[in-house]
């Protein structure tokens, strides 16, 4: 569990690790999380944008992670052949 103070967590950490360019996260720092915030309907425009930013880079993150897993699997396979 890496929750060290000052280190990015959550989506920011995932994007820094697996996506080379994730500019455009404008609403992530503006929404203050409070209990039950996502139960309120209808969602505000800011909340919709925030939610969109959660999924905007999922494909790029998935491709980056998949490439890393394939690289590691290949490296493991090569080590097993020695």
């Amino acid at each position: 569990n890496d929750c060290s103070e000052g280190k990015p967590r959550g989506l920011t950490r995932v994007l820094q690790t697996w996506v080379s360019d994730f500019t455009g996260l404008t609403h992530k720092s503006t929404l203050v999380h409070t209990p039950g915030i996502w139960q309120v309907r209808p969602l505000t425009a800011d909340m919709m944008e925030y939610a969109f930013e959660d999924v905007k880079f999922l494909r790029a993150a998935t491709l980056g992670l998949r490439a890393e897993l394939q690289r590691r699997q290949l490296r493991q396979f090569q080590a097993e052949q020695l």
Side-chain angles (χ1 to χ4, degrees):
N1 191 357
D2 187 9
C3 293
S4 303
E5 190 172 322
K7 287 190 175 187
R9 299 181 348 206
L11 180 63
T12 301
R13 179 88 181 247
V14 169
L15 296 179
Q16 285 178 339
T17 303
W18 303 112
V19 180
S20 59
D21 178 19
F22 60 95
T23 57
L25 294 179
T26 58
H27 287 77
K28 288 297 182 197
S29 61
T30 61
L31 186 68
V32 176
H33 287 275
T34 56
I37 191 170
W38 294 103
Q39 274 87 42
V40 175
R41 296 294 187 266
L43 296 177
T44 66
D46 283 340
M47 291 173 76
M48 293 290 288
E49 186 65 29
Y50 184 100
F52 172 73
E53 288 179 5
D54 272 352
V55 298
K56 183 177 182 178
F57 297 101
L58 284 182
R59 186 176 193 300
T62 298
L63 294 175
L65 179 56
R66 184 179 293 153
E68 175 63 15
L69 289 172
Q70 288 173 341
R71 185 185 67 78
R72 287 182 185 192
Q73 193 171 34
L74 179 58
R75 190 169 53 194
Q76 180 182 355
F77 175 76
Q78 290 171 336
E80 289 171 358
Q81 298 305 309
L82 296 176

XYZ file of all heavy atoms in Angstrom:
665
model
N 0.841 -1.176 0.000
C 0.000 0.000 0.000
C 0.884 1.235 0.000
O 1.489 1.572 0.990
C -0.896 -0.048 1.219
C -1.994 0.998 1.191
O -2.055 1.813 0.274
N -2.834 0.955 2.185
N 0.976 1.922 -1.130
C 1.879 3.060 -1.276
C 1.104 4.361 -1.185
O 0.672 4.926 -2.165
C 2.613 2.972 -2.615
C 3.690 4.031 -2.752
O 3.973 4.717 -1.761
O 4.235 4.162 -3.846
N 0.908 4.828 0.028
C 0.169 6.071 0.244
C 1.080 7.102 0.889
O 0.663 7.871 1.745
C -1.067 5.821 1.114
S -2.298 4.812 0.302
N 2.344 7.121 0.501
C 3.289 8.063 1.084
C 2.878 9.482 0.763
O 2.448 9.782 -0.341
C 4.695 7.803 0.525
O 5.077 6.477 0.785
N 3.019 10.354 1.744
C 2.649 11.750 1.546
C 3.506 12.351 0.437
O 4.699 12.111 0.353
C 2.848 12.527 2.835
C 2.251 13.912 2.776
C 2.288 14.596 4.121
O 2.076 13.926 5.136
O 2.532 15.810 4.114
N 2.865 13.114 -0.423
C 3.592 13.771 -1.502
C 3.688 12.946 -2.773
O 4.031 13.469 -3.811
N 3.413 11.652 -2.699
C 3.453 10.810 -3.888
C 2.063 10.750 -4.501
O 1.070 10.679 -3.791
C 3.907 9.392 -3.554
C 5.369 9.289 -3.238
C 5.767 7.841 -3.161
C 7.258 7.734 -2.975
N 7.693 6.346 -3.067
N 2.012 10.809 -5.843
C 0.691 10.719 -6.472
C 0.051 9.366 -6.215
O 0.731 8.359 -6.076
C 0.996 10.913 -7.953
C 2.438 10.676 -8.111
C 3.082 10.900 -6.784
N -1.271 9.371 -6.130
C -2.013 8.145 -5.905
C -3.120 8.048 -6.939
O -3.400 8.988 -7.655
C -2.624 8.145 -4.504
C -1.592 8.227 -3.431
C -2.136 8.203 -2.035
N -3.556 8.380 -1.907
C -4.157 8.862 -0.854
N -3.448 9.245 0.168
N -5.458 8.984 -0.790
N -3.746 6.917 -6.991
C -4.914 6.748 -7.842
C -4.623 6.915 -9.316
O -3.595 6.468 -9.829
N -5.529 7.597 -9.993
C -5.443 7.754 -11.436
C -4.159 8.458 -11.858
O -3.523 8.067 -12.834
C -6.661 8.522 -11.954
C -6.684 8.759 -13.453
C -6.751 7.439 -14.211
C -7.830 9.657 -13.830
N -3.747 9.473 -11.130
C -2.530 10.200 -11.488
C -1.335 9.260 -11.519
O -0.520 9.293 -12.443
C -2.272 11.353 -10.505
O -3.392 12.233 -10.548
C -1.019 12.119 -10.868
N -1.224 8.394 -10.539
C -0.116 7.437 -10.485
C -0.164 6.465 -11.666
O 0.850 6.176 -12.294
C -0.176 6.674 -9.166
C 0.890 5.631 -8.978
C 2.118 6.270 -8.353
N 3.174 5.320 -8.169
C 3.602 4.925 -6.984
N 3.073 5.380 -5.891
N 4.583 4.073 -6.904
N -1.344 5.966 -11.982
C -1.507 5.058 -13.118
C -1.081 5.747 -14.405
O -0.328 5.184 -15.209
C -2.970 4.566 -13.225
C -3.222 3.847 -14.544
C -3.320 3.662 -12.057
N -1.540 6.976 -14.614
C -1.212 7.685 -15.842
C 0.272 7.998 -15.927
O 0.866 7.876 -16.997
C -2.047 8.961 -15.951
C -3.552 8.752 -16.079
C -4.271 10.091 -16.157
C -3.902 7.875 -17.262
N 0.883 8.388 -14.840
C 2.323 8.661 -14.853
C 3.113 7.411 -15.202
O 4.147 7.479 -15.852
C 2.787 9.196 -13.500
C 2.386 10.618 -13.254
C 2.819 11.106 -11.882
O 3.080 10.317 -10.972
N 2.872 12.410 -11.715
N 2.624 6.260 -14.776
C 3.334 5.010 -14.990
C 3.131 4.461 -16.399
O 4.070 3.985 -17.020
C 2.872 3.958 -13.961
O 3.085 4.479 -12.646
C 3.640 2.660 -14.118
N 1.921 4.533 -16.934
C 1.596 3.808 -18.158
C 1.237 4.655 -19.365
O 1.076 4.123 -20.455
C 0.463 2.822 -17.888
C 0.810 1.876 -16.794
C 0.252 1.815 -15.552
C 1.828 0.872 -16.809
N 0.845 0.839 -14.807
C 1.825 0.243 -15.550
C 2.737 0.445 -17.767
C 2.685 -0.792 -15.229
C 3.613 -0.586 -17.444
C 3.583 -1.191 -16.194
N 1.094 5.965 -19.217
C 0.692 6.810 -20.338
C 1.723 7.915 -20.509
O 2.031 8.636 -19.567
C -0.708 7.423 -20.092
C -1.126 8.307 -21.252
C -1.733 6.331 -19.849
N 2.260 8.037 -21.713
C 3.324 9.016 -21.930
C 2.805 10.458 -21.914
O 3.478 11.353 -21.450
C 4.045 8.736 -23.248
O 3.132 8.793 -24.331
N 1.610 10.707 -22.426
C 1.083 12.066 -22.458
C -0.354 12.055 -21.957
O -1.244 11.560 -22.626
C 1.131 12.633 -23.877
C 0.556 14.037 -23.959
O 0.444 14.716 -22.913
O 0.205 14.462 -25.072
N -0.568 12.584 -20.786
C -1.921 12.620 -20.244
C -2.311 14.038 -19.853
O -2.974 14.284 -18.868
C -2.106 11.646 -19.073
C -1.201 11.909 -17.892
C -1.644 12.673 -16.825
C 0.060 11.362 -17.848
C -0.829 12.901 -15.730
C 0.884 11.576 -16.764
C 0.438 12.350 -15.702
N -1.917 14.987 -20.698
C -2.307 16.366 -20.450
C -3.809 16.524 -20.652
O -4.422 15.775 -21.392
C -1.560 17.325 -21.393
O -1.821 16.929 -22.738
C -0.069 17.297 -21.130
N -4.374 17.441 -19.998
C -5.789 17.708 -20.165
C -6.649 17.290 -18.991
O -7.863 17.281 -19.097
N -6.046 16.931 -17.865
C -6.832 16.604 -16.673
C -7.120 17.907 -15.932
O -6.397 18.309 -15.039
C -6.078 15.630 -15.764
C -5.834 14.242 -16.309
C -5.064 13.402 -15.303
C -7.136 13.566 -16.660
N -8.189 18.563 -16.315
C -8.470 19.879 -15.757
C -9.385 19.840 -14.542
O -9.348 20.740 -13.717
C -9.116 20.772 -16.824
O -10.306 20.120 -17.288
C -8.174 21.002 -17.992
N -10.202 18.821 -14.417
C -11.183 18.788 -13.334
C -10.736 17.963 -12.127
O -11.374 18.003 -11.089
C -12.523 18.253 -13.849
C -13.224 19.239 -14.709
N -12.857 19.471 -16.011
C -14.248 20.068 -14.450
C -13.648 20.400 -16.516
N -14.498 20.779 -15.596
N -9.664 17.218 -12.248
C -9.234 16.330 -11.164
C -8.885 17.099 -9.891
O -9.149 16.639 -8.796
C -8.032 15.484 -11.592
C -8.400 14.417 -12.586
C -9.349 13.477 -11.932
C -9.734 12.363 -12.848
N -10.928 11.674 -12.396
N -8.292 18.253 -10.021
C -7.868 18.981 -8.824
C -8.941 19.940 -8.315
O -8.776 20.540 -7.258
C -6.590 19.762 -9.118
O -6.823 20.702 -10.146
N -10.050 20.075 -9.039
C -11.043 21.063 -8.648
C -12.199 20.483 -7.834
O -12.857 21.217 -7.114
C -11.636 21.763 -9.881
O -12.270 20.784 -10.710
C -10.563 22.471 -10.679
N -12.442 19.188 -7.937
C -13.579 18.593 -7.250
C -13.174 18.142 -5.849
O -12.200 17.403 -5.692
C -14.115 17.390 -8.031
C -15.389 16.770 -7.499
C -16.560 17.728 -7.673
C -15.688 15.475 -8.225
N -13.886 18.597 -4.851
C -13.641 18.188 -3.477
C -14.529 16.984 -3.188
O -15.744 17.047 -3.343
C -13.959 19.335 -2.496
C -13.792 18.868 -1.061
C -13.096 20.541 -2.791
N -13.901 15.878 -2.815
C -14.663 14.659 -2.534
C -15.304 14.733 -1.155
O -14.640 15.004 -0.169
C -13.749 13.427 -2.612
C -13.372 13.087 -3.998
N -14.163 12.322 -4.809
C -12.305 13.425 -4.734
C -13.594 12.190 -5.981
N -12.466 12.861 -5.963
N -16.583 14.501 -1.131
C -17.316 14.437 0.113
C -18.153 13.165 0.091
O -18.508 12.676 -0.994
C -18.244 15.660 0.287
O -19.117 15.744 -0.840
C -17.460 16.942 0.413
N -18.454 12.603 1.249
C -19.256 11.376 1.272
C -20.579 11.570 0.526
O -21.258 12.573 0.682
C -19.495 11.130 2.764
C -18.359 11.824 3.439
C -18.057 13.024 2.588
N -20.895 10.620 -0.330
C -22.153 10.631 -1.053
C -22.207 11.531 -2.269
O -23.255 11.661 -2.893
N -21.090 12.132 -2.627
C -21.102 13.095 -3.734
C -21.615 12.488 -5.039
O -22.297 13.142 -5.812
C -19.714 13.744 -3.932
C -19.822 14.928 -4.902
C -18.699 12.733 -4.412
C -18.561 15.767 -4.978
N -21.312 11.214 -5.284
C -21.700 10.602 -6.559
C -23.114 10.038 -6.540
O -23.606 9.557 -7.554
C -20.680 9.539 -6.966
C -19.361 10.181 -7.263
C -18.259 10.201 -6.464
C -19.033 10.955 -8.423
N -17.260 10.925 -7.054
C -17.705 11.398 -8.258
C -19.724 11.317 -9.567
C -17.055 12.178 -9.215
C -19.072 12.095 -10.525
C -17.755 12.520 -10.337
N -23.807 10.118 -5.408
C -25.206 9.700 -5.374
C -26.145 10.826 -5.818
O -27.297 10.578 -6.147
C -25.616 9.252 -3.962
C -25.313 7.793 -3.689
C -23.902 7.595 -3.182
O -23.443 8.368 -2.365
N -23.222 6.572 -3.644
N -25.677 12.045 -5.818
C -26.495 13.192 -6.193
C -26.795 13.130 -7.687
O -25.908 12.911 -8.502
C -25.764 14.514 -5.846
C -26.551 15.709 -6.334
C -25.492 14.593 -4.358
N -28.063 13.284 -8.034
C -28.483 13.301 -9.432
C -29.363 14.506 -9.663
O -30.112 14.888 -8.787
C -29.233 12.016 -9.805
C -28.394 10.754 -9.727
C -27.292 10.778 -10.780
N -26.556 9.520 -10.847
C -25.446 9.240 -10.210
N -24.902 10.125 -9.414
N -24.849 8.085 -10.350
N -29.333 15.097 -10.804
C -28.417 14.796 -11.902
C -27.007 15.282 -11.565
O -26.823 16.194 -10.755
C -28.997 15.574 -13.077
C -29.727 16.720 -12.463
C -30.232 16.212 -11.133
N -26.009 14.654 -12.198
C -24.627 15.086 -12.017
C -24.456 16.470 -12.629
O -25.044 16.782 -13.659
C -23.663 14.107 -12.694
C -23.623 12.687 -12.145
C -22.678 11.833 -12.973
C -23.218 12.659 -10.691
N -23.621 17.265 -12.001
C -23.317 18.588 -12.564
C -22.406 18.410 -13.771
O -21.797 17.341 -13.968
C -22.609 19.476 -11.533
O -21.319 18.911 -11.255
C -23.416 19.620 -10.251
N -22.272 19.441 -14.560
C -21.379 19.401 -15.724
C -19.940 19.131 -15.276
O -19.216 18.371 -15.927
C -21.470 20.706 -16.506
N -19.514 19.730 -14.177
C -18.162 19.500 -13.665
C -17.960 18.046 -13.249
O -16.898 17.463 -13.470
C -17.853 20.419 -12.485
C -17.536 21.842 -12.923
O -17.181 22.039 -14.100
O -17.636 22.753 -12.083
N -18.980 17.453 -12.639
C -18.880 16.051 -12.220
C -18.816 15.130 -13.450
O -18.089 14.139 -13.447
C -20.038 15.685 -11.316
C -19.963 16.379 -9.962
S -21.433 16.119 -8.972
C -21.162 14.449 -8.421
N -19.586 15.465 -14.486
C -19.537 14.672 -15.721
C -18.150 14.749 -16.356
O -17.605 13.751 -16.801
C -20.605 15.151 -16.711
C -22.017 14.882 -16.260
S -22.430 13.130 -16.282
C -22.538 12.859 -18.027
N -17.581 15.929 -16.365
C -16.234 16.101 -16.928
C -15.214 15.343 -16.094
O -14.318 14.698 -16.620
C -15.868 17.584 -16.994
C -14.556 17.862 -17.680
C -14.529 17.512 -19.151
O -15.574 17.560 -19.819
O -13.436 17.173 -19.657
N -15.352 15.397 -14.789
C -14.456 14.665 -13.889
C -14.536 13.164 -14.188
O -13.521 12.486 -14.299
C -14.851 14.948 -12.435
C -13.939 14.323 -11.413
C -12.953 15.082 -10.798
C -14.054 12.988 -11.036
C -12.119 14.529 -9.843
C -13.226 12.425 -10.094
C -12.259 13.197 -9.501
O -11.428 12.638 -8.572
N -15.745 12.652 -14.312
C -15.932 11.224 -14.607
C -15.354 10.873 -15.965
O -14.728 9.820 -16.143
C -17.416 10.870 -14.546
N -15.542 11.745 -16.939
C -14.965 11.520 -18.268
C -13.446 11.429 -18.189
O -12.830 10.580 -18.832
C -15.384 12.631 -19.234
C -14.684 12.576 -20.555
C -15.007 11.594 -21.480
C -13.692 13.486 -20.869
C -14.354 11.531 -22.698
C -13.030 13.420 -22.083
C -13.367 12.446 -23.004
N -12.836 12.302 -17.385
C -11.383 12.270 -17.241
C -10.915 10.961 -16.608
O -9.795 10.527 -16.850
C -10.896 13.476 -16.443
C -10.990 14.763 -17.238
C -10.534 15.978 -16.465
O -10.051 15.849 -15.323
O -10.657 17.083 -17.018
N -11.762 10.331 -15.809
C -11.404 9.030 -15.243
C -11.205 7.968 -16.320
O -10.398 7.059 -16.166
C -12.490 8.539 -14.283
C -12.295 9.038 -12.868
O -11.245 9.638 -12.578
O -13.198 8.814 -12.051
N -11.962 8.054 -17.399
C -11.900 7.006 -18.431
C -11.188 7.444 -19.706
O -10.875 6.617 -20.557
C -13.305 6.476 -18.780
C -13.945 5.837 -17.569
C -14.184 7.561 -19.346
N -10.905 8.723 -19.833
C -10.317 9.283 -21.050
C -9.024 8.573 -21.471
O -8.782 8.364 -22.650
C -10.042 10.769 -20.809
C -9.502 11.528 -21.970
C -9.368 12.999 -21.568
C -8.873 13.856 -22.681
N -8.811 15.267 -22.285
N -8.212 8.176 -20.526
C -6.908 7.600 -20.835
C -6.822 6.099 -20.543
O -5.736 5.529 -20.550
C -5.812 8.338 -20.056
C -5.708 9.789 -20.442
C -6.270 10.770 -19.658
C -5.055 10.165 -21.607
C -6.190 12.107 -20.008
C -4.964 11.492 -21.972
C -5.532 12.464 -21.172
N -7.951 5.453 -20.284
C -7.926 4.027 -19.950
C -7.344 3.170 -21.070
O -6.589 2.237 -20.816
C -9.323 3.532 -19.593
C -9.836 3.918 -18.213
C -11.205 3.316 -17.978
C -8.876 3.496 -17.123
N -7.687 3.471 -22.316
C -7.158 2.677 -23.435
C -5.634 2.792 -23.497
O -4.934 1.793 -23.625
C -7.776 3.107 -24.756
C -7.355 2.211 -25.903
C -8.065 2.587 -27.199
N -7.979 1.651 -28.267
C -6.885 1.218 -28.857
N -5.711 1.603 -28.429
N -6.921 0.365 -29.857
N -5.109 3.997 -23.397
C -3.654 4.187 -23.434
C -2.982 3.488 -22.259
O -1.929 2.861 -22.414
C -3.317 5.671 -23.446
N -3.580 3.563 -21.075
C -3.024 2.894 -19.904
C -3.055 1.379 -20.093
O -2.097 0.679 -19.753
C -3.782 3.294 -18.645
N -4.144 0.870 -20.641
C -4.267 -0.573 -20.895
C -3.198 -1.037 -21.877
O -2.551 -2.071 -21.663
C -5.666 -0.906 -21.448
O -6.627 -0.548 -20.467
C -5.800 -2.375 -21.774
N -2.996 -0.288 -22.947
C -1.987 -0.673 -23.944
C -0.582 -0.639 -23.349
O 0.235 -1.523 -23.620
C -2.083 0.234 -25.163
C -3.365 0.101 -25.982
C -3.395 1.147 -27.095
C -3.520 -1.297 -26.540
N -0.287 0.370 -22.529
C 1.027 0.451 -21.899
C 1.262 -0.698 -20.936
O 2.335 -1.314 -20.930
N 0.272 -1.013 -20.129
C 0.393 -2.123 -19.187
C 0.507 -3.449 -19.925
O 1.329 -4.301 -19.570
C -0.803 -2.135 -18.243
C -0.845 -3.258 -17.210
C 0.412 -3.271 -16.355
C -2.082 -3.108 -16.339
N -0.293 -3.638 -20.965
C -0.238 -4.872 -21.744
C 1.142 -5.073 -22.374
O 1.695 -6.166 -22.338
C -1.317 -4.847 -22.832
C -1.371 -6.144 -23.629
C -2.460 -6.099 -24.679
N -3.755 -6.062 -24.018
C -4.833 -5.526 -24.552
N -4.797 -4.963 -25.740
N -5.978 -5.542 -23.893
N 1.716 -4.007 -22.909
C 3.053 -4.099 -23.508
C 4.091 -4.490 -22.459
O 4.967 -5.313 -22.719
C 3.423 -2.767 -24.162
N 3.972 -3.903 -21.262
C 4.917 -4.244 -20.188
C 4.753 -5.697 -19.760
O 5.748 -6.410 -19.540
C 4.721 -3.314 -18.994
C 5.574 -3.655 -17.790
C 7.071 -3.542 -18.023
O 7.497 -2.939 -19.028
O 7.825 -4.062 -17.189
N 3.532 -6.173 -19.646
C 3.309 -7.571 -19.268
C 3.857 -8.520 -20.337
O 4.467 -9.547 -20.010
C 1.822 -7.831 -19.041
C 1.244 -7.187 -17.789
C -0.279 -7.348 -17.767
C 1.857 -7.770 -16.536
N 3.670 -8.174 -21.596
C 4.212 -9.010 -22.673
C 5.730 -9.012 -22.632
O 6.371 -10.040 -22.836
C 3.697 -8.526 -24.029
C 2.239 -8.849 -24.241
C 1.672 -8.235 -25.511
O 2.223 -7.298 -26.073
N 0.529 -8.748 -25.932
N 6.332 -7.853 -22.369
C 7.795 -7.760 -22.279
C 8.313 -8.640 -21.137
O 9.265 -9.385 -21.290
C 8.212 -6.308 -22.069
C 9.725 -6.089 -22.087
C 10.075 -4.656 -21.760
N 9.747 -4.289 -20.399
C 10.458 -4.611 -19.324
N 11.537 -5.353 -19.446
N 10.093 -4.214 -18.121
N 7.645 -8.572 -19.997
C 8.070 -9.372 -18.840
C 7.894 -10.859 -19.105
O 8.730 -11.660 -18.707
C 7.286 -8.972 -17.598
C 7.689 -7.642 -17.052
C 6.933 -7.321 -15.804
N 7.236 -5.978 -15.335
C 6.901 -5.528 -14.161
N 6.243 -6.302 -13.314
N 7.210 -4.307 -13.807
N 6.814 -11.213 -19.745
C 6.579 -12.621 -20.047
C 7.651 -13.142 -21.001
O 8.149 -14.248 -20.844
C 5.191 -12.799 -20.649
C 4.733 -14.233 -20.697
C 3.272 -14.322 -21.109
O 2.784 -13.526 -21.896
N 2.575 -15.292 -20.571
N 8.007 -12.343 -21.991
C 9.061 -12.735 -22.927
C 10.387 -12.887 -22.195
O 11.112 -13.857 -22.403
C 9.195 -11.695 -24.042
C 10.276 -11.963 -25.075
C 10.062 -13.310 -25.764
C 10.325 -10.847 -26.101
N 10.685 -11.959 -21.300
C 11.929 -12.036 -20.541
C 11.943 -13.291 -19.670
O 12.941 -13.986 -19.566
C 12.101 -10.779 -19.691
C 13.466 -10.673 -19.057
C 13.714 -9.334 -18.451
N 12.639 -8.971 -17.533
C 12.452 -7.749 -17.068
N 13.235 -6.773 -17.433
N 11.472 -7.505 -16.234
N 10.809 -13.616 -19.049
C 10.713 -14.816 -18.223
C 10.894 -16.065 -19.088
O 11.591 -16.994 -18.703
C 9.364 -14.873 -17.505
C 9.211 -16.095 -16.629
C 7.838 -16.131 -15.966
O 7.041 -15.219 -16.079
N 7.567 -17.205 -15.268
N 10.263 -16.077 -20.261
C 10.400 -17.209 -21.177
C 11.859 -17.379 -21.582
O 12.372 -18.503 -21.597
C 9.529 -16.981 -22.419
C 9.704 -18.036 -23.465
C 9.113 -19.294 -23.304
C 10.446 -17.800 -24.608
C 9.262 -20.271 -24.270
C 10.610 -18.772 -25.568
C 10.016 -20.004 -25.403
N 12.550 -16.304 -21.898
C 13.958 -16.390 -22.277
C 14.806 -16.930 -21.141
O 15.697 -17.742 -21.349
C 14.484 -15.010 -22.716
C 13.913 -14.560 -24.043
C 14.266 -13.124 -24.366
O 14.549 -12.324 -23.474
N 14.229 -12.804 -25.640
N 14.524 -16.526 -19.917
C 15.278 -17.004 -18.764
C 15.046 -18.504 -18.551
O 15.973 -19.219 -18.170
C 14.872 -16.223 -17.515
N 13.840 -18.957 -18.804
C 13.520 -20.374 -18.635
C 14.231 -21.226 -19.674
O 14.493 -22.398 -19.442
C 12.017 -20.597 -18.726
C 11.249 -20.053 -17.535
C 9.743 -20.080 -17.728
O 9.284 -20.499 -18.822
O 9.031 -19.673 -16.815
N 14.559 -20.668 -20.819
C 15.197 -21.415 -21.893
C 16.686 -21.606 -21.647
O 17.311 -22.456 -22.266
C 14.984 -20.697 -23.251
C 13.530 -20.596 -23.651
C 12.827 -21.945 -23.674
O 13.291 -22.879 -24.271
N 11.686 -22.017 -22.992
N 17.274 -20.830 -20.745
C 18.715 -20.936 -20.465
C 19.063 -22.105 -19.611
O 18.531 -22.724 -18.898
C 19.213 -19.648 -19.814
C 19.113 -18.417 -20.700
C 19.557 -17.183 -19.910
C 19.970 -18.554 -21.934
